[in-house]
Amino acid sequence: MKPTSPKTCYPPGGAAVAAHPVDEKLPALKMATSGLQHVAAMYAGVVAPPLIVGAAVGLSGKDLTFLTGACLFTAGLATFLQTLGFWKIGARLPFVNGVTFAGVAPMTAIVASAKDKSDALPMIFGAVIVAGLLGFVAAPFFSKAIRFFPPVVTGSVITLIGVSLLPVAFGWAQGPNPAVHDYGSTTNLALAGATLLIVLLLRRFTRGFVKQIAVLLGLILGTLLAIPFGVTDFSPVAHADVVGFPTPFHFGAPTFHIAAILSMCVVMVVSMTESTADMLALGEIVERPSDERTIAAGLRADTLGSALSPLFNGFMCSAFAQNIGLVAMTRIRSRYVVAVGGGFLVLMGLCPMAASLIAVVPRPVLGGAGVVLFGSVAASGIQTLVRAGLEKDNNVLIVAVSLAVGIIPITAPNFYHAFPETAKIVLDSGISTGCVTAVLLNLVFNHLGRNRETEDVTHPMEAGEELTPAH
């Protein structure tokens, strides 16, 4: 049976009704293998944020494994909400949900601002809960206000997400600890380069399932390559339990700090913007266009999943764009396939030993794979900007200024040193400041006053005809 063929149903006393491929239930084996493929395509993306934040907090190997497993578990729950849904919650499209990259930089900024690192995770969890609940309430209104988030805004933000995370990959490539003698050694950099090369070769010379899991295979092969150099530590697996449960509030009860909440609310806006764009794109791919009601239901699933995630020690969740590409490539459009993938994520979260496997991967190996992973996020933003109409000088200025403001914390880390600590939580996140800048500039240039759609320039530094004194 072709994966896209509609299934004919015969309701009692009625005519035959063809089920849309999105609602089709495939044979069990095909559901399982296709679901695993979705997990493989997004696994590295799910575990990267807890690794980054956990390392910033200074978690032990056991706690880092717990945090990773919790994020896998909550990603599975969020995927259930999105694919299966209930009431007015869930787009009921083949969406995989997981920890959003957009929250990584603000969360590490919150960690840096905490006087006691043990207080950082409760601060983050409290901020995510509030942002999730506010997002849930705002979902139907946000679906109406999407015109204020055109590609020029979303593209700028997604690009900043990737650019902001690349320094993390470069840090991993040098080693786990800047204080030790081998930090940045030729061995560590060679392992990072070898892993990057493996991923590139797999992407270039393989196809299908193997190509989709190139990053995961790169992590495995890079780890094996690192064993002779003595930089692979298997102790996390040796001390991990086979079965476990992400105990609620394992790192402490959530605390609520206004600056952290504001920072994560900005991330929530970014996440909702990304998810809306993903729903529009996926709706076209599966031939079930996403209308305002679908977008509102999908955003409710994202935000409710985010609000519930910290209860089990997880972070903010959103749709994973890379899995949209997998749907387009395989043409398997069933949402139940993705729901099965969510089930695998839950099972992995309930098996600490499985979650601990990622803790075995040496940091230089993670760094090599991170270059591809984070760079791909930036490339996705650039692809969005291509559709943003950069022939208009207004849009060029929006992108130029928002990217510049967003890159400040990367290129000049002490730029905001004179500001209060609470303000620095937001300002030190290039994603947050870049997003706010892009939205405000888009309002000023493209919505307030006369909307000059015909303004074209060939270069941002060249004045168009409309800027001459005669006009």
Side-chain angles (χ1 to χ4, degrees):
M1 181 176 63
K2 295 181 180 180
T4 58
S5 300
K7 183 178 179 180
T8 303
C9 302
Y10 296 89
V17 178
H20 193 282
V22 168
D23 300 317
E24 186 179 0
K25 295 180 180 179
L26 305 180
L29 180 60
K30 195 164 191 175
M31 293 265 280
T33 54
S34 300
L36 276 174
Q37 185 169 234
H38 274 283
V39 173
M42 53 88 75
Y43 181 84
V46 172
V47 300
L51 283 174
I52 298 170
V53 177
V57 175
L59 295 182
S60 64
K62 185 175 181 179
D63 279 341
L64 190 60
T65 297
F66 182 93
L67 186 64
T68 304
C71 288
L72 290 169
F73 179 78
T74 54
L77 296 182
T79 299
F80 287 154
L81 285 176
Q82 195 65 271
T83 55
L84 303 179
F86 67 94
W87 186 55
K88 296 181 180 180
I89 297 172
R92 293 171 175 82
L93 290 172
F95 264 123
V96 175
N97 274 46
V99 182
T100 174
F101 276 108
V104 173
M107 287 191 292
T108 54
I110 293 172
V111 173
S113 70
K115 295 180 180 179
D116 186 346
K117 298 301 181 186
S118 62
D119 296 332
L121 286 176
M123 288 173 61
I124 292 172
F125 293 148
V128 172
I129 290 173
V130 174
L133 293 176
L134 291 176
F136 184 85
V137 174
F141 304 101
F142 191 91
S143 64
K144 298 178 184 296
I146 192 59
R147 66 191 184 94
F148 296 111
F149 296 87
V152 69
V153 173
T154 57
S156 299
V157 173
I158 297 171
T159 302
L160 279 173
I161 292 172
V163 172
S164 297
L165 292 175
L166 279 172
V168 175
F170 302 148
W172 280 350
Q174 296 177 82
N177 188 354
V180 298
H181 69 280
D182 65 341
Y183 186 76
S185 66
T186 54
T187 299
N188 288 346
L189 296 182
L191 286 173
T195 303
L196 174 59
L197 180 61
I198 290 171
V199 173
L200 293 177
L201 290 175
L202 288 172
R203 291 290 300 178
R204 174 62 181 86
F205 295 107
T206 62
R207 61 180 60 187
F209 182 63
V210 175
K211 185 174 183 178
Q212 287 296 321
I213 63 171
V215 173
L216 184 60
L217 291 176
L219 292 174
I220 295 172
L221 296 175
T223 300
L224 295 176
L225 185 64
I227 292 177
F229 297 95
V231 296
T232 306
D233 181 15
F234 289 95
S235 60
V237 177
H239 295 94
D241 297 326
V242 177
V243 179
F245 184 79
T247 311
F249 306 129
H250 176 81
F251 297 100
T255 58
F256 303 95
H257 300 263
I258 186 63
I261 291 172
L262 289 175
S263 180
M264 296 312 296
C265 282
V266 173
V267 176
M268 179 57 72
V269 172
V270 175
S271 177
M272 293 171 74
T273 302
E274 291 181 46
S275 291
T276 300
D278 290 340
M279 277 184 271
L280 292 171
L282 186 59
E284 294 297 323
I285 291 172
V286 302
E287 298 177 0
R288 180 185 277 180
S290 298
D291 55 15
E292 186 178 302
R293 181 178 299 178
T294 301
I295 291 173
L299 293 178
R300 287 192 189 99
D302 269 6
T303 53
L304 180 60
S306 295
L308 294 176
S309 186
L311 303 181
F312 300 100
N313 312 284
F315 299 136
M316 189 178 292
C317 296
S318 70
F320 267 53
Q322 57 263 47
N323 291 82
I324 297 175
L326 188 58
V327 173
M329 184 191 73
T330 63
R331 303 299 296 165
I332 298 176
R333 299 182 278 181
S334 172
R335 59 190 173 103
Y336 296 105
V337 165
V338 177
V340 169
F344 283 122
L345 289 171
V346 169
L347 291 176
M348 293 172 70
L350 296 176
C351 180
M353 183 171 288
S356 69
L357 291 175
I358 194 64
V360 173
V361 181
R363 291 295 171 83
V365 173
L366 278 174
V371 170
V372 176
L373 192 63
F374 304 152
S376 296
V377 177
S380 297
I382 294 171
Q383 287 177 329
T384 304
L385 287 175
V386 169
R387 305 193 305 270
L390 294 185
E391 71 279 0
K392 301 181 178 67
D393 68 330
N394 286 353
N395 288 345
V396 171
L397 290 174
I398 293 169
V399 174
V401 177
S402 59
L403 288 181
V405 171
I407 291 174
I408 287 175
I410 302 174
T411 57
N414 297 319
F415 189 82
Y416 299 111
H417 73 277
F419 284 74
E421 290 297 322
T422 52
K424 287 166 65 176
I425 292 179
V426 177
L427 295 174
D428 283 342
S429 168
I431 298 170
S432 300
T433 55
C435 176
V436 171
T437 302
V439 170
L440 292 178
L441 289 179
N442 180 61
L443 286 172
V444 171
F445 281 99
N446 292 332
H447 288 276
L448 299 179
R450 186 163 62 94
N451 190 7
R452 294 173 290 184
E453 292 290 345
T454 59
E455 295 176 353
D456 296 347
V457 293
T458 56
H459 189 278
M461 296 305 292
E462 293 180 11
E465 183 182 356
E466 70 283 359
L467 300 180
T468 61
H471 290 263

